[in-house]
Amino acid sequence: MSVFQGEVSTLPPDKSISHRAALIGALADGTTEITNFSGGYDNQSTLSVLQDAGISVRQESLAAGDGRIVRHVVIESGGLWSFRQPLAPLMCNNSGSTMRMMAGILAAQPFRSELIGDASLMKRPMKRVADPLRQMGAGIALSDSGTAPVVITGSRELKPIEYHLPVPSAQVKSLVAFAALHVDGLSKIIEPVRSRDHTELMLGLETIDRPDGVREIIIDGRRPLAARPFSVPADPSAACFMIALGLLGERSEIVLRDVCLNPTRVAYIEVLQEAGAGLGIENVRSEGGEPVGDIVVRSCSSLRPLRISDHGIVAGVIDEVPMLAVLSAFASGEFELHNAAELRTKESDRIDALVVNLERLGFDCEQYPDGFVVKGRTKSNTEEVEIECYDDHRIAMSFAIAAEAAGALLRLSDRQVAGVSFPNFFTLIDTLRQ
Ligand code: S3P
């Protein structure tokens, strides 16, 4: 295993915050300046969909004070009703966030529109999008299997909603909030299991945390939404891959700068610390309403196997499960996950994708409807192993890190897909390699 060392100030800007900054900019009245917008394909899909729906978007590269080149996005909008009927179906590519959150906005616009995606996105569940929007009075048509194309007959007369989230999903929460911003009245979202809360923070929504742990989010559609600037911190879900690299590497030490440390995003750090990982957090401060800081990771000679089953923790680490599973398998030989059926509805069926590829690497695995277990490595490969990426950036990147630890040559079926969230992923690994 190689040695990985260095300081990283070039992690990709957070994907979730970038999407929201662009969408909120399009909904707000005035000019929205976004500093450090992500160049990942998913976030670029949000910008192109906004442009195709009539919003003015300008993107430029600027030199930051420390010599880095950062993307600066400027969005001009006249507010909630500035969208125009698209001339063709809106192409969201691989981005579930773009499709789902845009659906909430388009449901409130007085025209017909259609959202489509790539082969992976066209298989993902959209009934969770249609249900609340239909309750609010929009017309939503899906395929017979409840997937895209999402055909929207929007209405300027949507009704307020009180919506209990049936699955912990920040995308569904956000699309309801975006639709409710257009409604003449108060709406409420009830969230039994916490998901990432960037939308609430960025819109300044009122939230009530009940004693039973349930959160209520209040949206007052009569409040004006004025444009404000956003600055996007580094993506903690991208940081997770570099953390795994540092933990698995020999005599390694990596410092990851300016990472978003929002508690709804960094549950994986606690999970790793509890398993004995050498991880430190430094220089914590608040920027634009989000906690931000530096993460220091050092090689770890022994990591206890990760076992994840609590519903709240599963929701908190949902995007990091692929990397955590692969890391735990290589560091300890074992991994166990339950109550995570949601993982089957991501960019790929991640339970199946992880099991298929870990088995190819010689691990003994068993999958259940809502999880899987890795029981040990029964054979170490010496020959080349083909890894199937299933159009899924997180599967590709998790096994690219595994390739460093596997002691065998791993051939990824698709390296490019990493660019969905982390365009400089492979160059960064090479920069850190000593
Ligand atoms: C996201 C929410 C999560 C996450 C996805 C990004 C977001 O999806 O998996 O990568 O930015 O709101 P769900 O809302 O489907 O849980």
CSV table of all heavy atoms in Angstrom, one decimal, residues 15-17 19-20 97 100-101 124 128 168-174 195-196 198-199 265 318-319 342 345-347 350 393-394, ligand 1:
chain,number,residue,atom,x,y,z
A,15,LYS,N,-21.9,19.2,-3.1
A,15,LYS,CA,-22.9,19.0,-4.2
A,15,LYS,C,-24.3,19.5,-3.7
A,15,LYS,O,-25.0,20.1,-4.5
A,15,LYS,CB,-22.9,17.5,-4.5
A,15,LYS,CG,-23.9,17.1,-5.6
A,15,LYS,CD,-23.5,15.7,-6.2
A,15,LYS,CE,-24.0,14.5,-5.5
A,15,LYS,NZ,-25.5,14.3,-5.6
A,16,SER,N,-24.7,19.1,-2.5
A,16,SER,CA,-26.1,19.4,-2.0
A,16,SER,C,-26.3,20.9,-1.9
A,16,SER,O,-27.3,21.5,-2.3
A,16,SER,CB,-26.3,18.8,-0.7
A,16,SER,OG,-26.3,17.4,-0.8
A,17,ILE,N,-25.2,21.6,-1.4
A,17,ILE,CA,-25.4,23.1,-1.2
A,17,ILE,C,-25.3,23.8,-2.5
A,17,ILE,O,-26.0,24.7,-2.8
A,17,ILE,CB,-24.3,23.6,-0.2
A,17,ILE,CG1,-24.4,22.9,1.2
A,17,ILE,CG2,-24.3,25.1,-0.1
A,17,ILE,CD1,-23.4,23.3,2.2
A,19,HIS,N,-26.4,22.6,-5.5
A,19,HIS,CA,-27.8,22.5,-6.1
A,19,HIS,C,-28.7,23.6,-5.5
A,19,HIS,O,-29.4,24.3,-6.2
A,19,HIS,CB,-28.4,21.2,-5.8
A,19,HIS,CG,-27.9,20.0,-6.6
A,19,HIS,ND1,-27.9,20.0,-8.0
A,19,HIS,CD2,-27.4,18.8,-6.2
A,19,HIS,CE1,-27.4,18.8,-8.4
A,19,HIS,NE2,-27.1,18.1,-7.4
A,20,ARG,N,-28.7,23.6,-4.2
A,20,ARG,CA,-29.7,24.5,-3.5
A,20,ARG,C,-29.4,26.0,-3.8
A,20,ARG,O,-30.3,26.8,-3.9
A,20,ARG,CB,-29.7,24.2,-2.0
A,20,ARG,CG,-30.4,22.9,-1.7
A,20,ARG,CD,-30.0,22.3,-0.3
A,20,ARG,NE,-30.8,21.1,0.0
A,20,ARG,CZ,-30.5,19.9,-0.4
A,20,ARG,NH1,-29.6,19.7,-1.3
A,20,ARG,NH2,-31.2,18.9,0.0
A,97,SER,N,-31.2,14.8,-7.6
A,97,SER,CA,-31.5,16.0,-6.8
A,97,SER,C,-32.1,17.1,-7.8
A,97,SER,O,-33.0,17.8,-7.5
A,97,SER,CB,-30.2,16.6,-6.2
A,97,SER,OG,-29.6,15.8,-5.3
A,100,ARG,N,-35.7,15.9,-8.8
A,100,ARG,CA,-36.7,15.9,-7.7
A,100,ARG,C,-37.0,17.4,-7.3
A,100,ARG,O,-38.1,17.8,-7.1
A,100,ARG,CB,-36.3,15.0,-6.6
A,100,ARG,CG,-36.4,13.6,-7.0
A,100,ARG,CD,-36.0,12.7,-5.9
A,100,ARG,NE,-36.2,11.3,-6.3
A,100,ARG,CZ,-35.4,10.3,-5.9
A,100,ARG,NH1,-34.3,10.6,-5.1
A,100,ARG,NH2,-35.6,9.0,-6.2
A,101,MET,N,-35.9,18.1,-7.1
A,101,MET,CA,-36.1,19.5,-6.5
A,101,MET,C,-36.7,20.4,-7.6
A,101,MET,O,-37.6,21.2,-7.3
A,101,MET,CB,-34.8,20.0,-6.0
A,101,MET,CG,-34.4,19.2,-4.7
A,101,MET,SD,-33.2,20.1,-3.7
A,101,MET,CE,-31.7,19.4,-4.3
A,124,ARG,N,-35.1,5.4,-11.2
A,124,ARG,CA,-35.2,5.7,-9.8
A,124,ARG,C,-36.7,6.1,-9.4
A,124,ARG,O,-37.4,6.7,-10.2
A,124,ARG,CB,-34.2,6.8,-9.4
A,124,ARG,CG,-32.8,6.3,-9.6
A,124,ARG,CD,-31.8,7.4,-9.3
A,124,ARG,NE,-31.8,7.6,-7.8
A,124,ARG,CZ,-31.1,8.6,-7.2
A,124,ARG,NH1,-30.2,9.3,-8.0
A,124,ARG,NH2,-31.1,8.7,-5.9
A,128,ARG,N,-42.5,9.3,-4.8
A,128,ARG,CA,-42.3,10.1,-3.6
A,128,ARG,C,-42.3,11.6,-4.0
A,128,ARG,O,-42.5,12.4,-3.1
A,128,ARG,CB,-41.0,9.7,-2.9
A,128,ARG,CG,-39.8,9.9,-3.8
A,128,ARG,CD,-38.5,9.4,-3.2
A,128,ARG,NE,-38.5,8.0,-2.9
A,128,ARG,CZ,-37.5,7.4,-2.2
A,128,ARG,NH1,-36.5,8.1,-1.8
A,128,ARG,NH2,-37.5,6.1,-2.0
A,168,PRO,N,-37.0,9.1,4.9
A,168,PRO,CA,-36.1,10.2,5.3
A,168,PRO,C,-35.4,10.7,4.0
A,168,PRO,O,-34.5,10.0,3.5
A,168,PRO,CB,-35.1,9.6,6.3
A,168,PRO,CG,-35.3,8.2,6.3
A,168,PRO,CD,-36.5,7.8,5.5
A,169,SER,N,-35.9,11.7,3.4
A,169,SER,CA,-35.3,12.2,2.1
A,169,SER,C,-35.2,13.7,2.1
A,169,SER,O,-36.2,14.4,2.1
A,169,SER,CB,-36.1,11.7,0.9
A,169,SER,OG,-35.8,12.4,-0.2
A,170,ALA,N,-34.0,14.2,2.0
A,170,ALA,CA,-33.8,15.7,1.9
A,170,ALA,C,-34.3,16.2,0.6
A,170,ALA,O,-34.7,17.4,0.5
A,170,ALA,CB,-32.4,16.0,2.2
A,171,GLN,N,-34.2,15.4,-0.4
A,171,GLN,CA,-34.7,15.8,-1.7
A,171,GLN,C,-36.2,16.0,-1.7
A,171,GLN,O,-36.7,17.1,-2.2
A,171,GLN,CB,-34.3,14.8,-2.8
A,171,GLN,CG,-32.8,14.8,-3.0
A,171,GLN,CD,-32.4,13.6,-4.0
A,171,GLN,OE1,-33.3,12.8,-4.4
A,171,GLN,NE2,-31.2,13.6,-4.3
A,172,VAL,N,-37.0,15.1,-1.1
A,172,VAL,CA,-38.4,15.2,-1.1
A,172,VAL,C,-38.8,16.4,-0.2
A,172,VAL,O,-39.6,17.2,-0.5
A,172,VAL,CB,-39.1,13.9,-0.6
A,172,VAL,CG1,-40.6,14.1,-0.4
A,172,VAL,CG2,-38.8,12.8,-1.6
A,173,LYS,N,-38.1,16.5,1.0
A,173,LYS,CA,-38.4,17.7,1.9
A,173,LYS,C,-38.2,19.0,1.1
A,173,LYS,O,-39.0,19.9,1.2
A,173,LYS,CB,-37.4,17.6,3.1
A,173,LYS,CG,-37.3,18.7,4.0
A,173,LYS,CD,-36.5,18.4,5.2
A,173,LYS,CE,-35.0,18.2,4.9
A,173,LYS,NZ,-34.2,18.0,6.2
A,174,SER,N,-37.1,19.1,0.3
A,174,SER,CA,-36.8,20.3,-0.4
A,174,SER,C,-37.8,20.6,-1.5
A,174,SER,O,-38.2,21.7,-1.7
A,174,SER,CB,-35.4,20.2,-0.9
A,174,SER,OG,-34.4,20.0,0.1
A,195,SER,N,-32.9,14.3,8.1
A,195,SER,CA,-32.0,14.3,6.9
A,195,SER,C,-31.3,15.6,6.8
A,195,SER,O,-31.6,16.5,7.5
A,195,SER,CB,-32.9,14.0,5.6
A,195,SER,OG,-33.8,15.0,5.4
A,196,ARG,N,-30.4,15.7,5.8
A,196,ARG,CA,-29.6,16.9,5.7
A,196,ARG,C,-30.5,18.2,5.6
A,196,ARG,O,-31.6,18.1,5.0
A,196,ARG,CB,-28.7,16.9,4.5
A,196,ARG,CG,-29.3,16.8,3.1
A,196,ARG,CD,-28.4,16.4,2.1
A,196,ARG,NE,-28.0,15.0,2.3
A,196,ARG,CZ,-26.9,14.4,1.7
A,196,ARG,NH1,-26.2,15.0,0.8
A,196,ARG,NH2,-26.6,13.1,1.9
A,198,HIS,N,-29.8,21.5,4.7
A,198,HIS,CA,-29.3,22.7,4.0
A,198,HIS,C,-30.4,23.6,3.5
A,198,HIS,O,-30.3,24.8,3.6
A,198,HIS,CB,-28.4,22.3,2.8
A,198,HIS,CG,-27.3,21.4,3.2
A,198,HIS,ND1,-26.3,21.8,4.1
A,198,HIS,CD2,-27.0,20.2,2.8
A,198,HIS,CE1,-25.4,20.8,4.2
A,198,HIS,NE2,-25.9,19.8,3.4
A,199,THR,N,-31.5,23.0,3.0
A,199,THR,CA,-32.6,23.8,2.5
A,199,THR,C,-33.2,24.7,3.6
A,199,THR,O,-33.4,25.9,3.4
A,199,THR,CB,-33.7,22.9,1.9
A,199,THR,OG1,-33.1,22.1,0.9
A,199,THR,CG2,-34.9,23.7,1.3
A,265,ARG,N,-24.4,15.8,8.0
A,265,ARG,CA,-23.6,15.3,6.9
A,265,ARG,C,-22.4,14.5,7.4
A,265,ARG,O,-21.8,13.8,6.6
A,265,ARG,CB,-23.1,16.5,6.1
A,265,ARG,CG,-24.2,17.2,5.4
A,265,ARG,CD,-24.9,16.4,4.3
A,265,ARG,NE,-24.0,16.0,3.3
A,265,ARG,CZ,-23.5,16.7,2.3
A,265,ARG,NH1,-23.8,18.0,2.2
A,265,ARG,NH2,-22.6,16.2,1.4
A,318,ILE,N,-26.0,7.9,4.6
A,318,ILE,CA,-26.5,7.2,3.5
A,318,ILE,C,-25.6,7.3,2.3
A,318,ILE,O,-25.4,6.3,1.5
A,318,ILE,CB,-28.0,7.6,3.2
A,318,ILE,CG1,-28.7,6.6,2.3
A,318,ILE,CG2,-28.1,9.0,2.7
A,318,ILE,CD1,-29.2,5.4,2.9
A,319,ASP,N,-25.0,8.5,2.0
A,319,ASP,CA,-24.2,8.6,0.9
A,319,ASP,C,-22.8,8.0,1.1
A,319,ASP,O,-22.0,7.8,0.1
A,319,ASP,CB,-24.0,10.1,0.5
A,319,ASP,CG,-25.3,10.6,-0.2
A,319,ASP,OD1,-26.1,9.8,-0.6
A,319,ASP,OD2,-25.4,11.9,-0.3
A,342,GLU,N,-33.3,2.0,1.4
A,342,GLU,CA,-33.1,3.2,0.6
A,342,GLU,C,-31.9,3.1,-0.3
A,342,GLU,O,-31.9,3.6,-1.4
A,342,GLU,CB,-32.9,4.4,1.5
A,342,GLU,CG,-34.2,5.2,1.8
A,342,GLU,CD,-34.9,5.7,0.5
A,342,GLU,OE1,-34.4,6.7,-0.1
A,342,GLU,OE2,-35.9,5.2,0.2
A,345,THR,N,-32.2,2.4,-4.0
A,345,THR,CA,-32.9,3.4,-4.9
A,345,THR,C,-31.9,4.5,-5.2
A,345,THR,O,-32.4,5.5,-5.7
A,345,THR,CB,-34.1,4.0,-4.2
A,345,THR,OG1,-33.7,4.8,-3.2
A,345,THR,CG2,-35.0,2.9,-3.7
A,346,LYS,N,-30.7,4.4,-5.0
A,346,LYS,CA,-29.7,5.4,-5.3
A,346,LYS,C,-29.3,5.3,-6.8
A,346,LYS,O,-30.0,4.7,-7.6
A,346,LYS,CB,-28.5,5.4,-4.4
A,346,LYS,CG,-28.9,5.6,-2.9
A,346,LYS,CD,-29.4,7.0,-2.7
A,346,LYS,CE,-29.8,7.3,-1.3
A,346,LYS,NZ,-30.4,8.6,-1.1
A,347,GLU,N,-28.2,6.0,-7.2
A,347,GLU,CA,-27.8,6.0,-8.6
A,347,GLU,C,-27.7,4.5,-9.1
A,347,GLU,O,-27.8,4.3,-10.3
A,347,GLU,CB,-26.4,6.7,-8.7
A,347,GLU,CG,-26.5,8.2,-8.6
A,347,GLU,CD,-26.5,8.7,-7.2
A,347,GLU,OE1,-27.0,8.0,-6.2
A,347,GLU,OE2,-26.1,9.9,-7.0
A,350,ARG,N,-27.2,0.0,-4.6
A,350,ARG,CA,-25.9,0.0,-4.0
A,350,ARG,C,-25.6,-1.2,-3.1
A,350,ARG,O,-24.5,-1.6,-2.9
A,350,ARG,CB,-25.7,1.3,-3.1
A,350,ARG,CG,-25.4,2.5,-4.1
A,350,ARG,CD,-25.1,3.8,-3.3
A,350,ARG,NE,-24.7,4.8,-4.3
A,350,ARG,CZ,-24.8,6.1,-4.1
A,350,ARG,NH1,-25.2,6.5,-2.9
A,350,ARG,NH2,-24.5,7.0,-5.0
A,393,HIS,N,-21.3,7.1,-9.4
A,393,HIS,CA,-20.0,7.7,-9.0
A,393,HIS,C,-19.5,7.2,-7.7
A,393,HIS,O,-18.3,7.0,-7.5
A,393,HIS,CB,-20.2,9.2,-8.9
A,393,HIS,CG,-21.3,9.8,-8.0
A,393,HIS,ND1,-21.1,10.8,-7.1
A,393,HIS,CD2,-22.6,9.4,-7.9
A,393,HIS,CE1,-22.3,11.0,-6.5
A,393,HIS,NE2,-23.2,10.2,-7.0
A,394,ARG,N,-20.4,6.9,-6.7
A,394,ARG,CA,-19.8,6.5,-5.4
A,394,ARG,C,-19.3,5.1,-5.4
A,394,ARG,O,-18.4,4.7,-4.7
A,394,ARG,CB,-20.9,6.7,-4.3
A,394,ARG,CG,-21.3,8.2,-4.2
A,394,ARG,CD,-21.9,8.5,-2.9
A,394,ARG,NE,-22.7,9.8,-3.0
A,394,ARG,CZ,-22.3,11.0,-2.9
A,394,ARG,NH1,-21.0,11.2,-2.7
A,394,ARG,NH2,-23.1,12.0,-3.0
B,1,S3P,C1,-29.4,14.7,-1.3
B,1,S3P,C2,-30.2,13.8,-0.5
B,1,S3P,C3,-30.0,12.4,-0.5
B,1,S3P,C4,-28.6,12.0,-1.0
B,1,S3P,C5,-28.3,12.7,-2.2
B,1,S3P,C6,-28.3,14.2,-2.1
B,1,S3P,C7,-29.7,16.1,-1.3
B,1,S3P,O1,-31.0,11.7,-1.3
B,1,S3P,O2,-28.5,10.6,-1.1
B,1,S3P,O3,-27.0,12.3,-2.7
B,1,S3P,O4,-28.9,16.9,-1.7
B,1,S3P,O5,-30.8,16.5,-0.9
B,1,S3P,P1,-32.5,11.4,-0.7
B,1,S3P,O6,-33.2,12.7,-0.6
B,1,S3P,O7,-33.1,10.6,-1.8
B,1,S3P,O8,-32.3,10.7,0.6
